[in-house]
Amino acid sequence: MALFVHDINEQPNAFTTTLSQIPTAVGIHDPGSFATAALDIYENGWISPNNAWILNLWPPGFILLEVSIVKIFGINTPIILILQIIASLLFSWVLALLYKFFSVQTKSYVAFGVPLLIFAFPVSRVFLLQPIGLVLGESFSIGFFLLTLLYSIKSVEKKSVWYSVWAGVFLALSAYFRSQFELILMGITGWALLMGLYLYIKKTSQTLRTAGKSIMISIVVAHTATIPWRLYHWKYQGSPLWTQTSGVTFENSVLSPEELEKKSGSLVVTGGGNLVCRINPTVCNDRENARHLFFKTFFENPSKWYAIKLSLIGKFWYTSVGGFWKTPNEVPSMSDLFINSSFLSMLLALPAMLVTRRVRSHPSWLPLTLLTIALFSTYILIFTVQQFESRYFFFPKIVITFIFLITASIFLRPKDVAQELPTTSN
């Protein structure tokens, strides 16, 4: 399916496109930058000063994967084809683990078919397996994050330290491939600390305490695995920050539409990324004070800020998958409305199921709830400070489907299965 099924036409040819051709074949900024950095590292051993800015804005995981492919197969290899094969293997691993989980909760034929529902939606097929999505690198971050969730569940159910360690490794790998997953790691850490405090103060069940310990092991492993990249940035940038993108965010927030147009930033305007200028026109283009003005404007005008964001979010949520790197100007089709309404329904149903006693009695409840809360809160933060882009909603839609199916299988599991599982109720 990954090699021959295309849901949209405007995609690079997986069988012929080489690494050097990606910048012109794709037409999206991020893949071109990744390819430029990968070619630089391939030819010179490491990034040259002229291209150092790329590793300031993006973590190195996907770039180093591209370098590894051309070192093994040659500079003229069809790199997207190799990426598709690797991604297919990664998601086969994910689906196999998901099948094992479902096979305990329900009948075997249901367990075999339900995992495939992930790819019933065009957004999953395009973003995770097809050429236009693969060259963004996020397929691998998403795959590793889904492995994090599944191994977190296994670590709790099997009471295995090694599964906890693997969950932490995969969480770190997801951050190495796309920077927003480092924010998710920080979100998981913050909520886990609150969870740990609650478990320490309250007299919770031993199962919950064991689950909490498994999660904390994963978080420690993940943070340990991110130390090398933080040290690299500390040495060369004077800061252990994962990326140096905050300055771009602050500057864009104060720029006028005219200034953004000059730097091909119309998507920032359309996506609500220049809210400081929009809310307070008298400070437009004040780059020197952008950081201060960003926080000042937000805290003085939170209602206006979120009113603008909420007025825009609908058209980005309901946009067609066919133009995910473009401004969503087109009117959504009936299928777009149906599919994206399905995602919204799952989003609303998920927290409702997580608070039921039937789900709370399952050993997987704690990691499922923690990751769901961390994802919600992290994306609220991301969408507060960043402009909307259609593809920014793709991972939330995919992971919502994934967690919804897991939670629904627990909620709907037969009574005899429920009685065999240890309780996590207080």
Side-chain angles (χ1 to χ4, degrees), residues 138 175 178-185 242 378-379 382 391-392 395:
E138 204 158 344
R178 289 297 291 196
S179 58
Q180 65 265 37
F181 287 84
E182 189 262 348
L183 291 175
I184 294 172
L185 168 59
W242 197 246
T378 300
Y379 268 88
I382 291 172
R391 66 183 176 90
Y392 290 174
F395 168 63

Side-chain angles (χ1 to χ4, degrees), residues 250 276 290-300 305 385:
F250 295 141
V276 173
R291 182 187 181 90
H292 168 72
L293 290 170
F294 181 92
F295 290 107
K296 182 176 185 292
T297 304
F298 174 74
F299 286 114
E300 289 181 353
W305 192 286
V385 302

Side-chain angles (χ1 to χ4, degrees), residues 160-214:
S160 168
V161 172
W162 281 111
Y163 285 141
S164 299
V165 170
W166 278 114
V169 169
F170 291 129
L171 183 54
L173 281 172
S174 68
Y176 271 104
F177 274 75
R178 289 297 291 196
S179 58
Q180 65 265 37
F181 287 84
E182 189 262 348
L183 291 175
I184 294 172
L185 168 59
M186 301 306 292
I188 292 172
T189 303
W191 285 107
L193 291 174
L194 292 175
M195 172 203 71
L197 181 62
Y198 173 80
L199 295 178
Y200 177 78
I201 295 173
K202 299 285 287 185
K203 292 183 178 180
T204 56
S205 68
Q206 183 59 42
T207 305
L208 268 178
R209 290 178 177 271
T210 301
K213 290 178 182 178
S214 297

Side-chain angles (χ1 to χ4, degrees), residues 89-109:
L89 292 173
L90 175 61
F91 284 100
S92 296
W93 186 359
V94 170
L95 294 179
L97 290 173
L98 195 56
Y99 164 74
K100 287 186 177 181
F101 177 84
F102 285 141
S103 64
V104 177
Q105 312 300 323
T106 185
K107 296 179 180 179
S108 59
Y109 65 86

Side-chain angles (χ1 to χ4, degrees), residues 39-47 64 67 71:
L39 285 168
D40 194 354
I41 294 172
Y42 172 77
E43 293 170 354
N44 301 307
W46 191 240
I47 201 79
L64 294 180
V67 174
K71 279 186 176 291

Side-chain angles (χ1 to χ4, degrees), residues 15-75:
F15 294 92
T16 61
T17 304
T18 64
L19 181 62
S20 60
Q21 293 172 336
I22 285 180
T24 54
V26 177
I28 311 174
H29 183 256
D30 291 14
S33 298
F34 300 154
T36 299
L39 285 168
D40 194 354
I41 294 172
Y42 172 77
E43 293 170 354
N44 301 307
W46 191 240
I47 201 79
S48 62
N50 289 339
N51 292 319
W53 62 272
I54 298 174
L55 293 185
N56 292 340
L57 297 182
W58 291 283
F62 185 65
I63 294 169
L64 294 180
L65 176 61
E66 290 184 321
V67 174
S68 300
I69 290 172
V70 294
K71 279 186 176 291
I72 294 171
F73 297 100
I75 192 65

